[in-house]
Amino acid sequence: MIEVTTKYIPNSITCLNIASGCVATIFALQGDALIGGMAAYNWAFIFIGIAAVMDFLDGFAARLLHAYSDMGKELDSLCDCVSFGVAPAMLLYATLSPQGGWIPWLAILIPVAGALRLAKFNIDTRQTTSFIGLPIPANAIFWIGYTAYCHAGFSNLTLPFIVVPVIILESWLMLSPLKLFSLKFHTWGWKGNGFRWLLIATAIASVVIFGVPGLMWLIIAYLVYGILDRGKTV
């Protein structure tokens, strides 16, 4: 009975991932409307963050309980597409929509590229200890930081000649051949983990210095570290 029950725990946590992503999408589409004394887009940030925690915990639970399954792998990808593809895309859409025109609709490229990235990941045996292309959760983190900058008064980031190339580049990065290290530690020492520890330090510094917008710089740093790494970390 215990075995039958525990095998469903990872998938249940994964379902909390997509539930959080759906809530984040609803809040994202309400833009800067005040909800509970806080702008709706801030609630979207929070629920995408909750989805990311659930995304970590389902894998942790699967390893702990030895409850791996093909269904769990596919379910995880479907949920990630919503939480880290659709939700951040709607954040960007709502941020750009006041200017009207066709530019906000380009946000749809983000979940499309994300879905393709996840499909490739599921059939690519090379991505067991590292990544080829930007992981979709990192994509979500980037857009949280980017839209946070927009709402903080950096309106230049919504100009077509800036945001259009960024959308195209960020979408391409998820499908690119760029090799990036994962945050999975096999040992805790500096050797072989230098860029991982550096990324963690960068995450802390970025948020302390810039707040939520610093998440954009975190992902830019991740891309730079990945290029500099050249396989040393993995």
Side-chain angles (χ1 to χ4, degrees):
M1 177 64 70
I2 294 177
E3 181 180 353
V4 172
T5 303
T6 56
K7 75 176 184 179
Y8 293 113
I9 291 176
N11 288 350
S12 298
I13 297 173
T14 305
C15 289
L16 293 176
N17 172 351
I18 194 171
S20 299
C22 289
V23 174
T25 301
I26 293 170
F27 281 127
L29 289 172
Q30 297 183 59
D32 55 4
L34 288 179
I35 299 175
M38 188 165 60
Y41 62 83
N42 282 320
W43 286 109
F45 296 163
I46 291 170
F47 276 92
I48 292 175
I50 293 173
V53 172
M54 295 301 108
D55 188 45
F56 168 79
L57 290 178
D58 64 5
F60 177 79
R63 291 189 294 271
L64 182 67
L65 301 171
H66 303 287
Y68 296 101
S69 68
D70 290 336
M71 176 182 172
K73 181 180 179 181
E74 300 302 328
L75 179 63
D76 184 71
S77 292
L78 291 169
C79 294
D80 284 358
C81 190
V82 173
S83 298
F84 310 129
V86 176
M90 293 305 99
L91 265 174
L92 183 61
Y93 173 83
T95 300
L96 299 176
S97 59
Q99 68 186 39
W102 57 272
I103 302 296
W105 292 90
L106 279 182
I108 295 173
L109 285 177
I110 298 168
V112 171
L116 289 169
R117 191 264 180 282
L118 289 164
K120 288 177 62 177
F121 177 81
N122 282 355
I123 61 174
D124 192 342
T125 57
R126 298 173 297 169
Q127 300 189 60
T128 54
T129 58
S130 61
F131 299 115
I132 299 176
L134 184 70
I136 193 170
N139 163 76
I141 292 171
F142 175 86
W143 287 115
I144 287 174
Y146 192 96
T147 55
Y149 260 121
C150 295
H151 287 288
F154 291 82
S155 57
N156 285 345
L157 292 177
T158 65
L159 295 175
F161 71 90
I162 294 179
V163 72
V164 171
V166 172
I167 293 171
I168 294 172
L169 176 61
E170 187 73 8
S171 298
W172 175 81
L173 282 169
M174 286 190 280
L175 303 173
S176 73
L178 180 63
K179 293 183 179 180
L180 297 166
F181 58 87
S182 74
L183 280 179
K184 293 180 180 178
F185 285 83
H186 298 290
T187 63
W188 296 108
W190 178 265
K191 185 177 181 180
N193 294 313
F195 281 105
R196 291 188 179 97
W197 286 118
L198 186 58
L199 185 65
I200 291 172
T202 301
I204 295 170
S206 297
V207 174
V208 169
I209 296 171
F210 300 107
V212 176
L215 294 176
M216 183 185 79
W217 296 113
L218 170 62
I219 301 306
I220 292 173
Y222 176 46
L223 292 167
V224 172
Y225 296 160
I227 293 171
L228 294 175
D229 177 48
R230 296 183 182 276
K232 295 183 181 70
T233 298
V234 296

